[in-house]
Amino acid sequence: MSAEARRPRKPGAKKPATKPSPARGTAKPPRPALPAAPAPPKLAAPPTPPALTAPPSPKILPAPVPEATPRQLPSALRVARVETETSSVTAPGSVVEVTRKTPPLLVHFGEGFKRVRFPEGTRVIYPPAPLAGVEDPEAAIAEALDHPLNSEPLNALLRPGMKLTIAFDDISLPLPPMQLPDVRQRVIEQVLTRAAAHGVTDVVLIAALSLHRRMTDAELRRAVGDRVFDAFHPHRLYNHDAEDPDEMIEVGVTDRGEYVDMPKRAMDSDLLVYVNINLVAMDGGHKSVPVGLGTYRSVRAHHNTATLYESRSYMDPPRSAISHSVDRQGRLLADHLKIFTIETTLNNDTFDGPMKFMQKHENKWTPADRAAFAGIQKATTTLPRRRVRDIFHNIAAPYQITSVQAGETEATHASTLRNFHRQHLVPVKGQSDVLVAGIAYLSPYNVNGVLNPILVNTMALGYFFNLYRGKPLVREGGVMIAFHPVDYEWHPIHHPSYIDFFDTVLPQTKDPAELEARFEEDFAYDPWYRHLYRTSHAYHGVHPFYMWYWAAHGMRHVARTIYVGGDPKTCHQMGFMSATSLKDALEMASDIVGSNPSITYLHAPPLFLCDVT
Amino acid sequence: MAMAAFVESGAGAPRDLAPGWTREPSMLLARQVVQEGLLAPAVRVAGNFEAFGRGRVRGIDPPLIIAANHASHVDVIAIREALPRAWRHDLVAAAAADYFFESGSRRLLFSLAFNTLPLERHESPRQSLRTAVKVLRQGAALIIFPEGGRLDGAPRLREFAPGVGFLAKHARVPVVPVAVWGTHEALPKGRRLPRTAHIRVQVGRPIEIAEGERPQAFTLRVREAVRAAAVELGAWPLVYGEGDAPGA
């Protein structure tokens, strides 16, 4: 077979593709019409560099190629398409095509990395360059509180003698945890300062962790800051407990039979303020309160296979059944409780210092980046596992706040999504036969813990597969290839029910609907798991089921999932294959997608959202 | 009441990052008593103390940075004794926030004794570096240990963290390199009570960051200057001991 014939087809191209697509490398196709983005927030002026930041690294800017011909393009990295939602306000993401001269690409591999040479023609999707943050975050927050959307200003809602409850996102956001001060701290301090000025004394803060594990004191302190923690913890700053029979009450049932349960404290409050961080498009909105402060009964209303199969994708709220379900719950709740929602968006500046190379195009790596990569890769292979884990989990992202909006939940969230899309949206044309992703060390459910095999799959077929709106990046019946060691390793404190789920449930069935029907309630109502959830730092007993369902649509959509570098036994137990290299994985996929499949590689993190047309 | 406690705690920056109370007059007086009456005599008498190179910094006034190798809690006292007396009121010691500021009693003790300024080692240091720049701009002589922590194991000069370069660049102040020897025997890491030892301190020649010089490159120069001071001191393990190679 000639080298040309081996070249993968362009994603979205028709079979056969033994010839290079004539469109590749030629002038960029016209930009599709997209809805105009909102004007930037008033306070989103270009930031002045803080006094102590290093000189800014070269931005990940795609080559300006509107009129370019192949000869004019950089030979090593031919830009296939560079499009933005609205060029004046959107960070440019880039879709590039691997050529003969493209260097090996960085691929996350758990608590480590690989440099992998991809077949020519592979489409690589890079995250957009980070947007500038608001110049003065405190002023941006104040502006949002004073000029909320579809609501009176916060000050007008505060009065002496009232009960105020402040709920906030838990440790699952943002990822990685952000450099201090955390945006939650900034917002909560402003809310509390205003409450104090208006004579409000009855205030409680609740970490809205839903069925996630309780945050440790140190984690709570990190999220809300010393000042808030020292003043309110433990009696007036605490973790939500979805299993507290004395505290959780039923608010009502939606017309679709979805229960809405809430803590008594919240329902007795005159005002509930919710402080959110939006990292992916499914965060925020009505999902915050009914889910974050709900019970197993109210969460299972949408965390079930039927709903999740119909969420295409989670990141596309209008086409997400889970989003519709939480909207119904939220609207019912809004009839009973005054909620003032504060949502924030961050840019995607995820790594700094020596880790900065992770968010750069490989052909833009400086000698320092190459040295940092080599050093870190060496460290990950030579240092003890525990030490490596510490290094990774100590990464704090230099995120900057790109917008703050507040007010009535739906109006606020609509604005949030527009600002989210400004940073994260990458237009992509067409599906591919194979989707490749490197699974890093972190997910929303293993902060300061272990990314166990179930969570690895959740990341691959749950999150990465769902980083789209429109249609999936991989065609139905295609193949998902993910890089991760998939070791049989668990955090016994965080994930006790995961171990039993893996060892006792998966050998019997891997079908999400069947295991939901046969086993879910056993785990959900298990008194020991319940005890650990309430008193230790364990995820709820039902959580591994939800993580499996989370990948249900992805598992059904692709014909095969292959983990490169994955432990064969562990992969097999989950119903997946393992391969030793990308080349082997493609060989193993060839009976499904042929010998020259079109390939898309998601170069993430940092995260982004593909608008697939 | 929680709200009252919140209001009383005041607004603004995280409390721990700029403990202004440690520089209030009463605290300055108390520190003077502790340092002059207790710690300095203890080092001089029990430590068989020698200092060299003070003349090199004569005529230079704070603000400036004093960068030294780090083996023991005694280092700060030894360095203080080796520097011009005129600087003593302006001395501020950068200390690991996760260690010295973890508990209230430890924070009080070390702030009282050494006028400590917390420096983040595990979180992002950006906020604490900003505070350090602020303190330098107020005229401080900031003692910083760029190795990041006390010596653990065989004596050697370890890699320097680039914070010293960032501070020099952003505060535009000179750096005085200092080599300290013998404190690792006087009060090694893990030991609670000091023992007698021969402590020697060499003050090196001040250096300044050049226009356009990168902080990381300047940090390497600072390390070399400390190493040169160690050569003068004859502290051969510091000079030849197996450490992390610069920039490794």
Side-chain angles (χ1 to χ4, degrees):
Chain A
M1 183 184 289
S2 70
E4 203 61 64
R6 286 177 193 277
R7 178 174 297 167
R9 295 196 321 278
K10 263 183 86 65
K14 303 281 186 199
K15 284 187 179 182
T18 50
K19 290 181 181 176
S21 164
R24 178 158 52 81
T26 57
K28 196 177 66 164
R31 180 177 300 164
L34 288 165
K42 285 180 185 172
L43 293 156
T48 51
L52 267 171
T53 48
S57 305
K59 296 288 184 192
I60 309 169
L61 291 173
V65 291
E67 305 299 330
T69 64
R71 190 171 295 176
Q72 292 169 313
L73 292 169
S75 59
L77 202 61
R78 193 174 300 164
V79 178
R81 205 149 65 94
V82 181
E83 293 177 276
T84 61
E85 186 178 12
T86 301
S87 58
S88 60
V89 294
T90 308
S94 56
V95 182
V96 304
E97 187 175 309
V98 171
T99 68
R100 189 166 50 84
K101 293 182 179 177
T102 301
L105 303 179
L106 175 79
V107 180
H108 287 270
F109 187 67
E111 289 151 352
F113 314 100
K114 285 184 181 297
R115 292 289 300 273
V116 178
R117 195 169 285 283
F118 279 76
E120 281 182 55
T122 297
R123 177 173 68 178
V124 186
I125 305 176
Y126 285 93
L131 290 175
V134 295
E135 188 175 1
D136 184 345
E138 303 297 338
I141 295 166
E143 169 79 8
L145 301 184
D146 289 335
H147 302 96
L149 301 163
N150 285 0
S151 169
E152 299 163 274
L154 179 63
N155 286 350
L157 302 173
L158 302 170
R159 54 181 168 72
M162 73 180 292
K163 275 189 172 182
L164 171 64
T165 297
I166 302 172
F168 55 92
D169 281 343
D170 74 343
I171 196 169
S172 59
L173 287 164
L175 296 175
M178 67 189 297
Q179 292 177 5
L180 298 181
D182 192 287
V183 64
R184 284 165 289 211
Q185 173 189 339
R186 289 180 185 274
V187 174
I188 290 171
E189 285 191 357
Q190 283 213 28
V191 172
L192 287 173
T193 302
R194 287 163 185 252
H198 286 79
V200 181
T201 55
D202 188 352
V203 181
V204 161
L205 297 105
I206 306 174
L209 45 87
S210 188
L211 305 180
H212 299 170
R213 70 172 174 86
R214 295 166 66 242
M215 293 168 74
T216 65
D217 290 355
E219 289 163 349
L220 282 171
R221 180 185 287 278
R222 196 181 192 287
V224 301
D226 289 339
R227 192 175 164 213
V228 174
F229 185 88
D230 290 341
F232 290 89
H233 188 266
H235 302 299
R236 288 184 168 267
L237 165 61
Y238 51 79
N239 290 299
H240 170 63
D241 181 355
E243 291 289 350
D244 186 345
D246 300 324
E247 178 64 6
M248 298 307 297
I249 57 173
E250 179 182 320
V251 177
V253 184
T254 70
D255 55 3
R256 301 282 185 92
E258 297 141 325
Y259 283 95
V260 178
D261 296 332
M262 288 288 288
K264 211 183 291 174
R265 164 72 206 193
M267 296 310 296
D268 288 346
S269 296
D270 299 293
L271 178 65
L272 175 76
V273 172
Y274 195 93
V275 181
N276 146 281
I277 302 172
N278 250 76
L279 193 71
V280 292
M282 57 176 265
D283 297 330
H286 283 305
K287 181 170 175 286
S288 295
V289 179
V291 178
L293 297 179
T295 60
Y296 164 62
R297 184 175 68 166
S298 58
V299 172
R300 77 183 296 194
H302 31 71
H303 280 54
N304 57 63
T305 51
T307 305
L308 297 180
Y309 276 133
E310 295 307 316
S311 300
R312 302 181 179 190
S313 72
Y314 307 138
M315 310 302 170
D316 188 2
R319 301 191 64 206
S320 166
I322 188 172
S323 179
H324 300 158
S325 179
V326 295
D327 283 351
R328 287 189 291 272
Q329 290 182 318
R331 285 169 193 148
L332 186 150
L333 183 60
D335 291 338
H336 297 79
L337 175 64
K338 174 69 179 170
I339 299 173
F340 188 86
T341 299
I342 306 168
E343 297 196 335
T344 59
T345 55
L346 304 173
N347 67 6
N348 66 350
D349 196 5
T350 309
F351 304 104
D352 71 352
M355 301 283 192
K356 194 85 179 175
F357 67 87
M358 283 193 261
Q359 58 190 50
K360 287 185 178 179
H361 289 220
E362 286 76 2
N363 68 340
K364 301 262 178 72
W365 281 14
T366 63
D369 291 326
R370 281 191 281 274
F373 168 78
I376 293 170
Q377 193 181 38
K378 184 73 178 170
T380 59
T381 53
T382 53
L383 287 175
R385 187 75 172 267
R386 190 182 183 84
R387 181 75 192 112
V388 173
R389 185 159 294 152
D390 286 346
I391 291 171
F392 277 100
H393 281 275
N394 277 322
I395 291 175
Y399 293 129
Q400 291 189 334
I401 300 169
T402 53
S403 74
V404 184
Q405 37 272 310
E408 184 271 327
T409 303
E410 292 188 17
T412 299
H413 192 54
S415 173
T416 301
L417 282 178
R418 284 194 294 272
N419 281 306
F420 171 85
H421 288 150
R422 277 200 305 136
Q423 170 65 84
H424 289 89
L425 212 56
V426 181
V428 175
K429 197 165 183 64
Q431 297 176 301
S432 60
D433 298 322
V434 177
L435 180 63
V436 182
I439 309 301
Y441 65 99
L442 193 59
S443 81
Y445 317 107
N446 77 308
V447 179
N448 301 323
V450 175
L451 192 74
N452 64 50
I454 303 295
L455 291 177
V456 170
N457 191 50
T458 305
M459 288 305 293
L461 287 163
Y463 279 90
F464 278 51
F465 171 81
N466 275 284
L467 288 178
Y468 74 88
R469 72 177 195 184
K471 49 189 177 184
L473 281 157
V474 58
R475 70 167 170 82
E476 189 160 8
V479 172
M480 176 89 193
I481 296 177
F483 283 72
H484 195 277
V486 202
D487 289 323
Y488 182 85
E489 189 183 13
W490 313 86
H491 196 299
I493 294 174
H494 292 175
H495 302 128
S497 64
Y498 278 70
I499 305 170
D500 294 339
F501 174 84
F502 185 90
D503 285 344
T504 65
V505 175
L506 283 185
Q508 298 183 60
T509 178
K510 296 164 185 58
D511 176 55
E514 185 184 349
L515 56 85
E516 177 183 16
R518 287 176 59 193
F519 302 105
E520 180 184 303
E521 289 192 355
D522 292 345
F523 277 64
Y525 297 129
D526 185 287
W528 179 241
Y529 297 144
R530 197 186 246 171
H531 171 75
L532 294 176
Y533 163 79
R534 297 194 63 196
T535 61
S536 178
H537 296 282
Y539 282 79
H540 195 277
V542 78
H543 207 259
F545 288 80
Y546 289 171
M547 293 300 95
W548 197 254
Y549 307 160
W550 212 248
H553 175 214
M555 288 191 286
R556 177 185 279 183
H557 185 89
V558 301
R560 184 171 294 165
T561 302
I562 303 169
Y563 282 96
V564 175
D567 175 65
K569 193 176 169 189
T570 311
C571 291
H572 179 73
Q573 176 123 339
M574 293 193 289
F576 308 128
M577 299 174 81
S578 70
T580 53
S581 67
L582 178 62
K583 190 177 171 189
D584 286 352
L586 290 171
E587 187 70 34
M588 291 160 73
S590 62
D591 63 315
I592 296 173
V593 295
S595 55
N596 63 335
S598 57
I599 303 169
T600 294
Y601 170 45
L602 287 173
H603 200 291
L607 295 177
F608 47 84
L609 177 62
C610 298
D611 191 14
V612 185
T613 53
Chain B
M1 293 291 289
M3 277 301 273
F6 173 77
V7 172
E8 283 169 15
S9 65
R15 285 186 303 166
D16 283 345
L17 289 178
W21 57 270
T22 65
R23 285 179 284 283
E24 286 178 4
S26 57
M27 287 296 289
L28 288 173
L29 183 63
R31 186 174 304 118
Q32 184 86 351
V33 171
V34 171
Q35 290 184 341
E36 297 292 344
L38 187 66
L39 299 177
V43 168
R44 287 190 172 276
V45 174
N48 189 14
F49 181 80
E50 289 181 279
F52 310 93
R54 189 181 293 164
R56 290 173 175 168
V57 292
R58 196 165 291 143
I60 301 176
D61 294 321
L64 47 81
I65 297 167
I66 299 134
N69 61 302
H70 193 24
S72 164
H73 288 324
V74 179
D75 289 340
V76 176
I77 313 166
I79 292 168
R80 178 183 178 276
E81 288 303 296
L83 295 174
R85 291 188 73 85
W87 294 6
R88 288 186 181 173
H89 283 299
D90 300 317
L91 282 178
V92 176
D98 55 294
Y99 179 82
F100 291 96
F101 288 75
E102 198 176 44
S103 73
S105 56
R106 191 180 286 175
R107 174 166 43 188
L108 179 66
L109 178 68
F110 284 95
S111 295
L112 174 64
F114 303 125
N115 196 14
T116 44
L117 179 78
L119 204 61
E120 288 290 353
R121 294 190 295 188
H122 304 306
E123 302 285 356
S124 163
R126 188 172 298 181
Q127 181 63 38
S128 45
L129 288 176
R130 279 199 186 121
T131 307
V133 168
K134 202 168 90 181
V135 168
L136 281 167
R137 285 176 179 159
Q138 290 168 355
L142 179 67
I143 301 174
I144 188 167
F145 299 106
E147 288 170 307
R150 284 172 295 160
L151 182 66
D152 192 5
R156 66 197 189 282
L157 191 62
R158 289 161 287 155
E159 185 188 355
F160 279 15
V164 63
F166 279 99
L167 287 176
K169 180 181 173 70
H170 290 278
R172 284 280 155 201
V173 295
V175 175
V176 178
V178 171
V180 185
W181 184 249
T183 53
H184 65 287
E185 292 175 354
L187 186 64
K189 189 175 181 179
R191 188 177 169 87
R192 285 179 173 272
L193 293 174
R195 58 193 173 200
T196 56
H198 187 186
I199 297 173
R200 290 176 294 152
V201 179
Q202 176 72 50
V203 180
R205 297 182 191 283
I207 56 175
E208 289 186 83
I209 190 165
E211 194 64 43
E213 187 175 12
R214 291 167 57 82
Q216 289 87 347
F218 182 67
T219 301
L220 293 180
R221 281 213 291 137
V222 173
R223 187 178 184 275
E224 281 312 297
V226 173
R227 188 170 181 272
V231 170
E232 292 183 84
L233 209 53
W236 304 119
L238 280 185
V239 180
Y240 296 114
E242 283 189 19
D244 303 318

